[in-house]
């Protein structure tokens, strides 16, 4: 699956637009991670527990978006974006979305 944040991919021609695809996940903080993260805020620097949590959530959302595109028969997703929003205190949704397309090399 080709993923692009642009509307087109250089050297590849869009043959057909199949439509919007998306994937999301909602992740909540973990008590153990919160404790370690709280300690890190005392000394400063990157809070790696949350960095990992969000990286895993992004990967899951992108994977689900790709699965949605594959169900449509797409071989690429263009104009891909990621969005994060708070659902409740301590939980956030990561949404990946884009346009599923059929492409061929030009």
């Amino acid at each position: 699956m080709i993923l692009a944040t642009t509307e087109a991919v250089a050297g590849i021609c869009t043959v057909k637009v199949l439509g919007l695809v998306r994937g999301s996940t909602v992740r909540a903080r973990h008590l153990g991670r919160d404790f370690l993260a709280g300690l890190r805020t005392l000394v400063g620097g990157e809070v790696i527990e949350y960095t990992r949590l969000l990286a895993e959530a992004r990967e899951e959302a992108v994977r689900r978006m790709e699965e949605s595109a594959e169900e449509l028969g797409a071989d690429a997703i263009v104009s891909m974006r990621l969005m994060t929003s708070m659902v409740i205190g301590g939980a956030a949704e990561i949404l990946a979305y884009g346009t599923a397309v059929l492409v061929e090399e030009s």
Side-chain angles (χ1 to χ4, degrees), residues 32-34 36-41 43-56 58:
R33 285 183 182 169
D34 278 351
L36 291 173
L39 292 177
R40 284 194 203 284
T41 61
V43 295
E46 180 180 9
V47 183
I48 58 173
E49 293 79 16
Y50 292 147
T51 300
R52 286 186 192 131
L53 175 72
L54 290 173
E56 291 168 4
R58 281 190 298 272

Side-chain angles (χ1 to χ4, degrees), residues 3-10 77-81:
L3 298 177
T5 58
T6 56
E7 292 181 18
V9 180
I77 301 171
V78 296
S79 299
M80 191 197 100
R81 301 288 185 265

Side-chain angles (χ1 to χ4, degrees), residues 82-102:
L82 290 166
M83 185 176 81
T84 304
S85 61
M86 293 299 293
V87 176
I88 60 170
E93 177 189 32
I94 307 294
L95 172 67
Y97 63 97
T99 303
V101 296
L102 287 176

Side-chain angles (χ1 to χ4, degrees), residues 1 18 67-76 100-103:
M1 181 71 60
L18 300 173
E67 288 173 356
S68 178
E70 288 169 358
E71 289 175 8
L72 295 175
D75 44 24
V101 296
L102 287 176
V103 296

